[in-house]
Amino acid sequence: QVQLVESGGGSVQTGGSLRLSCSASGYTISSSCIAWFRQAPGKEREGVARISFDGSTTYADSVKGRFTISRDSVKNTVYLQMNSLKPEDTAMYYCAARTRGYCVVGVPARADFAYWGQGTQVTVSS
């Protein structure tokens, strides 16, 4: 049974940093496509970043240069380092995994991911 558990969310001021973690069980992240999504109240869930089995990464334009996705194969955990946070980054953040190892080209799309975590809240105040 695949289980994804996010942690690391919290409240920060504009310009602050947070590191989110996504711990996987029943699933090998190093041979998989893992992504981070976020959903703000009243908005669609949007893809933020993804890392493929080969280590290649893709970011949404809104976070490029500020967020970094990475993984630790030993801990079977994917991270999202978020720097220079803005109020518009406020959202529930989810990690997701595909059933296939490769990622679809481009920013991750919700329909391409079968497994989801429960989410972790990030709030950025001005």
Side-chain angles (χ1 to χ4, degrees):
Q1 182 180 355
V2 177
Q3 189 172 16
L4 303 173
V5 179
E6 302 96 333
S7 62
S11 297
V12 296
Q13 292 189 325
T14 296
S17 298
L18 284 172
R19 189 178 79 157
L20 306 183
S21 299
C22 173
S23 179
S25 59
Y27 191 85
T28 303
I29 60 106
S30 61
S31 59
S32 308
C33 175
I34 308 290
W36 285 96
F37 289 76
R38 66 185 181 186
Q39 188 167 17
K43 293 189 176 182
E44 295 287 322
R45 191 170 299 188
E46 61 173 353
V48 173
R50 60 88 166 151
I51 183 165
S52 187
F53 73 98
D54 62 359
S56 61
T57 58
T58 297
Y59 298 91
D61 287 343
S62 58
V63 306
K64 207 170 288 184
R66 299 188 298 122
F67 290 11
T68 303
I69 188 170
S70 63
R71 66 187 178 205
D72 184 326
S73 299
V74 174
K75 295 182 178 180
N76 209 35
T77 298
V78 173
Y79 303 99
L80 186 68
Q81 178 67 44
M82 306 187 295
N83 299 328
S84 302
L85 283 162
K86 306 174 182 180
E88 51 263 45
D89 295 318
T90 295
M92 184 73 78
Y93 283 71
Y94 301 88
C95 73
R98 295 199 75 205
T99 57
R100 299 178 184 272
Y102 63 89
C103 293
V104 176
V105 173
V107 176
R110 185 173 183 174
D112 292 332
F113 291 81
Y115 307 111
W116 294 84
Q118 82 291 345
T120 186
Q121 177 67 38
V122 171
T123 303
V124 185
S125 57
S126 57

